[in-house]
Amino acid sequence: MHTAKSYLNFLLKSKNQHGVHSPFVYDLITKCFYDSKKYSEYEILKNYRNSLLKNKLILEITDFGIGSKTFKSLSRSVSDITKTSGTKFKHAKLLFRLALYFQPINVLELGTSVGIGTTALALGNENSNITSIEGCSKIADFIIQQLKKQTIDNVTIINDNFKPALLNMATMHWDFVFFDGHHDELATIKYFEQLLPKAHNNSIFIFDDIYWSEGMTKAWNHIKSHPKVTVSIDTFQYGIVFFRKEQTKEDFVIRL
């Protein structure tokens, strides 16, 4: 009910590029969000996602996040994981375009899942160095094999919990962070605040499923109001924040 009510509210508040007075955000919407070019990488993403939807391999899941709304058993097929947790094709295309548009070098993903978002980011900038942290060893091993099959070599999968993995990368600074795991209010805020000192003026933080629960929406509201966040964009699926000091603080609700 929370997600449904939030979507109705989103439809009432959301707009397109018209009325957006920030040149930075206007260009992002028109040149990236609404980019209608048919990229060849879309076929790679589509074929990969379709292959996962057909994959009946059973994996024993170790879930360190808030858990699944759908599954009671920890034995799940790749196909079922893709249907319920994998990045939708529409959203994968947006991740690809964001990586293509901003060309980030140091990219961090919290929560690999079945690797659709990971693949999208990798294809968006082949010169990037992507680190994806996945707590479940079975999923991590599976994704490593899938990346090899696709000859994607700019991704490093780390099988660990987020907290120790981030501590081991304490010296890293990030151009682009995709928060796609541990869908919990306090955990999301904690990881945001932990990674905040690792951001720079042009860094981008993207939060998945900001209306997944009341807690996630509270986390999103907390994050976008943080004094270091100057621009926030709510696309319903994703919450995107920037730290550009030259920007006037402003929140946008943009329909895709």
Side-chain angles (χ1 to χ4, degrees):
M1 287 298 295
H2 170 74
T3 303
K5 289 179 181 178
S6 298
Y7 187 63
L8 290 175
N9 190 47
F10 172 84
L11 291 177
L12 292 172
K13 291 182 176 180
S14 63
K15 56 186 177 181
N16 54 25
Q17 74 271 28
H18 300 295
V20 173
H21 302 296
S22 163
F24 170 75
V25 177
Y26 181 87
D27 283 350
L28 175 60
I29 294 170
T30 56
K31 297 178 182 179
C32 177
F33 285 9
Y34 296 164
D35 180 1
S36 60
K37 182 178 177 180
K38 304 298 182 184
Y39 291 97
S40 59
E41 288 86 355
Y42 287 171
E43 280 301 307
I44 298 173
L45 283 171
K46 184 177 181 180
N47 291 337
Y48 176 54
R49 190 170 188 275
N50 286 341
S51 73
L52 295 173
L53 288 170
K54 296 174 183 176
N55 194 320
K56 302 303 180 183
L57 176 68
I58 301 296
L59 300 176
E60 293 295 324
I61 302 301
T62 305
D63 199 333
F64 296 99
I66 200 168
S68 171
K69 288 183 177 181
T70 305
F71 299 108
K72 301 302 180 185
S73 170
L74 294 178
S75 298
R76 303 169 195 170
S77 70
V78 171
S79 174
D80 286 340
I81 296 171
T82 305
K83 289 175 185 175
T84 59
S85 305
T87 303
K88 301 294 187 289
F89 185 47
K90 173 183 178 179
H91 304 138
K93 290 194 293 183
L94 177 57
L95 286 177
F96 164 80
R97 293 197 302 274
L98 285 165
L100 182 68
Y101 186 78
F102 287 108
Q103 292 289 288
I105 298 300
N106 294 319
V107 178
L108 175 65
E109 179 183 44
L110 299 183
T112 315
S113 186
V114 287
I116 300 171
T118 320
T119 301
L121 294 173
L123 293 173
N125 180 14
E126 295 181 354
N127 294 318
S128 63
N129 300 306
I130 300 172
T131 301
S132 186
I133 306 172
E134 173 55 51
C136 176
S137 61
K138 298 298 183 183
I139 288 182
D141 291 343
F142 175 78
I143 296 306
I144 288 170
Q145 294 304 314
Q146 297 306 304
L147 292 172
K148 286 181 180 178
K149 288 181 182 178
Q150 298 182 86
T151 64
I152 291 175
D153 57 7
N154 60 333
V155 177
T156 299
I157 304 293
I158 296 178
N159 175 214
D160 204 347
N161 292 344
F162 293 166
K163 182 177 180 179
L166 292 176
L167 287 174
N168 289 334
M169 295 185 289
T171 60
M172 290 292 296
H173 286 76
W174 303 103
D175 305 319
F176 191 113
V177 181
F178 182 37
F179 296 77
D180 189 22
H182 207 153
H183 287 49
D184 172 80
E185 176 186 355
L186 295 180
T188 300
I189 293 172
K190 178 180 69 176
Y191 295 127
F192 164 71
E193 293 179 345
Q194 185 175 355
L195 286 164
L196 197 53
K198 306 303 177 183
H200 53 77
N201 193 68
N202 295 317
S203 294
I204 309 152
F205 282 13
I206 301 180
F207 299 85
D208 190 28
D209 281 331
I210 56 174
Y211 293 104
W212 190 81
S213 66
E214 290 185 18
M216 281 299 294
T217 304
K218 288 179 181 177
W220 168 241
N221 288 330
H222 173 89
I223 289 162
K224 71 179 184 178
S225 64
H226 193 281
K228 288 192 175 180
V229 171
T230 55
V231 174
S232 76
I233 301 177
D234 176 348
T235 71
F236 192 75
Q237 180 67 30
Y238 295 143
I240 307 173
V241 298
F242 300 89
F243 309 95
R244 294 163 53 87
K245 294 176 182 177
E246 63 271 32
Q247 298 286 141
T248 301
K249 190 170 180 67
E250 197 168 359
D251 300 319
F252 299 88
V253 181
I254 302 297
R255 58 181 177 270
L256 300 179

